Amino acid sequence: MAEEAAAEVIWNKETVPKVMKIVSSTLPQRDLITLLLVSPSIHRTLLSHPSLWLVLDFHEMSNAGDRLVSALSLPRYHSVKHINLEFAQDIEDKQLENVKSKCEDSLLDLEILNLNGCQRISDKGIEVVTNTCPKLKVFSIYWNVRVTDVGITHLVKNCKSVVDLNLSGCKNITDKSLHLVADKYQELESLNITRCIKITDSGLQRILLNCSSLQNLNLYALSTLTDEAYKMISRLPHLRFLDLCGAQNLTDDGLSCIAMCKNLVSLNLTWCVQVSDVGVIAIAQGCRSLALLSLFGILGVSDRCLEVLSSFCSNTLKTLDVNGCINIKNRNRDQLLKLFPNLVCFKVHS
Amino acid sequence: MITLQSSDKDVFEIEQSILIQSGTIKNMVEDDFTFIPLPSVDTETLIKIIEYMKKHADKTDSKEKNIKEFDKDFMKKTLNELFALVFAANYLHISSLLELLYPSIADRIKDKITEAIRQIFSIRCDFTPEEERRIIMDNKWAHEGTEIEGTLD
């Protein structure tokens, strides 16, 4: 019986906590915290591994502001690196002020802040929160129409190390913000300005002039931009992902310049209605690692460009969307597979 | 050929090409070891590990489906056996096996309340009521809605 009791002790105090520790890096937050409550040994073991406590995830949760303050008051989160408040509720300027006044020191190591869908946060909230996290590298505030150039001014003043910026849907951002970003974030790697409809060529040009480290650029639904800006995309030697959906002013001239980005892997030309075979052929010749291409809705392209594309990119192309390209006669699934044997996906635009 | 010795002192001779799926063994082989004692892996577990590595050593397209079936069956083990495999795969750095094992254990934890987890894993909870109350309070923020973590009631 003593042997059984001893075995039980080992099971409880060593075996189970060790396994839980190994497995916990794959558990979602909710389950990880449930584990803390299971036994003192598991509690102790998990808390002794700081790497488990670098992320706080409140996406879609209610009372997110209060939850954030509660969590940050616990010592295990004092070095938190990533906070996710995507579509969280009850997170507004005043909750962010609360966070700053109660847990200022806990955000000094924060690198990733996701405020996507937090529509009630304004420039004031941005000022407050960026003031607490000087090491921020990734900032995302998708679909927030209250943020203006004032908010971005605070961001660039407080956070010097941003490399990934998502302002998709922030309709009140103007060229002024882009000038600030271009001047302060010359190491920027990812920029998403989808639907930032106040932006003109001037704003984008400054970015393209200064931010030569850009790898990902999303210009979805920015229909007033022209070749004057698009041509300068050629200045981005590291560009891998480019979304030009809706670029109705993009011509073959602009696209031929973009073809100089030889590391391009993903190119979305949905609704780029002025593009013809000439531009696509230039891309084929220039971008030999292309894995995703959408020509959705383009009437100026024909079978010719697919033939050329095939001769350069048939090894790498996995996704090709030619729906609505009525001047490409041979574009059923089998015909496309003959040209591009590695295709797995035939739809980008829905 | 490499010789592996379990904690029960049983020895197994296996081809090097199969064993290099273990990062740990690969490093030792590169340092010219041909006899590798594994004092933390018992015979029963080592036999299973070798079975896994043999099946996964020769990955060709035609065998993909075969391997998936094998993996599915391989995971049908008791909790004790799975735990022993987690320790062994962790120590031996066999990442593909670990990736297979994680979900089989995580699924037993997912969305469960505390008391259910204690039962599934035969864990005795020796928190004092005050300790337990405090930890529940500290972590209330983590759970949405009215789900309350397992109490002793």
Side-chain angles (χ1 to χ4, degrees), chain B residues 57-114:
Chain B
D58 187 18
K59 270 194 165 111
T60 62
D61 277 335
S62 56
K63 295 203 175 159
E64 258 321 317
K65 193 171 158 214
N66 221 298
I67 290 180
K68 277 201 164 76
E69 283 299 313
F70 169 85
D71 285 349
K72 228 169 97 176
D73 283 332
F74 191 76
M75 283 299 121
K76 290 179 183 158
K77 300 211 177 333
T78 68
L79 210 53
N80 273 331
E81 289 172 315
L82 287 177
F83 273 33
L85 281 169
V86 167
F87 285 136
N90 189 47
Y91 171 70
L92 291 170
H93 287 102
I94 308 173
S95 41
S96 70
L97 178 53
L98 274 173
E99 273 161 35
L100 210 56
L101 287 163
Y102 287 147
S104 68
I105 296 187
D107 283 347
R108 288 165 154 101
I109 298 171
K110 186 168 156 37
D111 291 337
K112 299 270 185 342
I113 62 169
T114 328

Side-chain angles (χ1 to χ4, degrees), chain A residues 4-261:
Chain A
E4 240 181 63
E8 202 205 326
V9 167
I10 294 183
W11 177 258
N12 274 294
K13 289 206 187 309
E14 286 185 26
T15 315
V16 170
K18 276 189 189 155
V19 170
M20 293 308 180
K21 181 330 178 146
I22 293 171
V23 168
S24 344
S25 55
T26 66
L27 291 176
Q29 176 174 285
R30 197 207 130 102
D31 295 329
L32 185 57
I33 292 177
T34 302
L35 273 190
L36 278 182
L37 285 116
V38 167
S39 77
S41 304
I42 295 180
H43 188 258
R44 199 177 322 117
T45 303
L46 294 184
L47 285 195
S48 69
H49 287 96
S51 61
L52 292 173
W53 309 106
L54 297 176
V55 181
L56 274 171
D57 185 359
F58 300 104
H59 79 273
E60 295 178 28
M61 288 181 98
S62 61
N63 288 320
D66 290 341
R67 291 180 197 271
L68 182 56
V69 168
S70 294
L72 289 176
S73 66
L74 299 172
R76 71 181 192 258
Y77 288 116
H78 282 181
S79 300
V80 68
K81 286 206 146 69
H82 179 166
I83 293 179
N84 183 348
L85 289 161
E86 180 157 320
F87 288 113
Q89 296 138 48
D90 311 303
I91 184 90
E92 312 182 14
D93 292 349
K94 68 175 188 285
Q95 279 90 2
L96 291 177
E97 278 163 13
N98 207 15
V99 168
K100 179 172 157 76
S101 69
K102 292 191 176 153
C103 337
E104 187 153 25
D105 292 338
S106 297
L107 295 176
L108 293 174
D109 289 325
L110 193 68
E111 293 183 359
I112 302 175
L113 180 57
N114 180 344
L115 297 174
N116 286 345
C118 296
Q119 299 181 321
R120 306 178 82 89
I121 292 177
S122 77
D123 292 331
K124 182 72 191 155
I126 304 230
E127 178 185 8
V128 162
V129 78
T130 56
N131 210 275
T132 63
C133 41
K135 291 192 186 164
L136 205 61
K137 288 188 172 150
V138 179
F139 183 66
S140 193
I141 184 158
Y142 150 98
W143 203 13
N144 179 315
V145 302
R146 292 187 195 204
V147 172
T148 72
D149 297 332
V150 170
I152 301 302
T153 309
H154 291 302
L155 174 68
V156 306
K157 186 168 65 108
N158 291 326
C159 307
K160 312 277 186 215
S161 310
V162 171
V163 292
D164 185 328
L165 184 57
N166 182 353
L167 300 172
S168 170
C170 296
K171 295 190 169 167
N172 282 308
I173 296 292
T174 76
D175 286 342
K176 176 156 183 234
S177 287
L178 291 195
H179 289 170
L180 282 169
V181 167
D183 290 343
K184 303 289 181 193
Y185 295 144
Q186 308 207 0
E187 317 291 319
L188 197 65
E189 292 170 10
S190 293
L191 179 63
N192 187 338
I193 44 175
T194 294
R195 290 189 224 281
C196 294
I197 48 181
K198 293 187 177 174
I199 281 167
T200 74
D201 283 342
S202 162
L204 182 56
Q205 279 166 337
R206 186 84 81 90
I207 293 280
L208 298 173
L209 211 62
N210 287 5
C211 305
S212 50
S213 301
L214 271 175
Q215 296 177 28
N216 307 301
L217 182 57
N218 197 329
L219 306 172
Y220 187 114
L222 292 175
S223 50
T224 58
L225 300 176
T226 76
D227 278 351
E228 290 305 299
Y230 296 136
K231 280 182 179 169
M232 288 174 66
I233 293 178
S234 61
R235 302 173 66 101
L236 305 177
H238 304 289
L239 197 65
R240 291 169 55 81
F241 170 99
L242 179 60
D243 193 330
L244 288 165
C245 178
Q248 60 188 9
N249 298 325
L250 175 71
T251 72
D252 288 331
D253 281 345
L255 197 50
S256 301
C257 291
I258 292 170
M260 301 204 313
C261 300

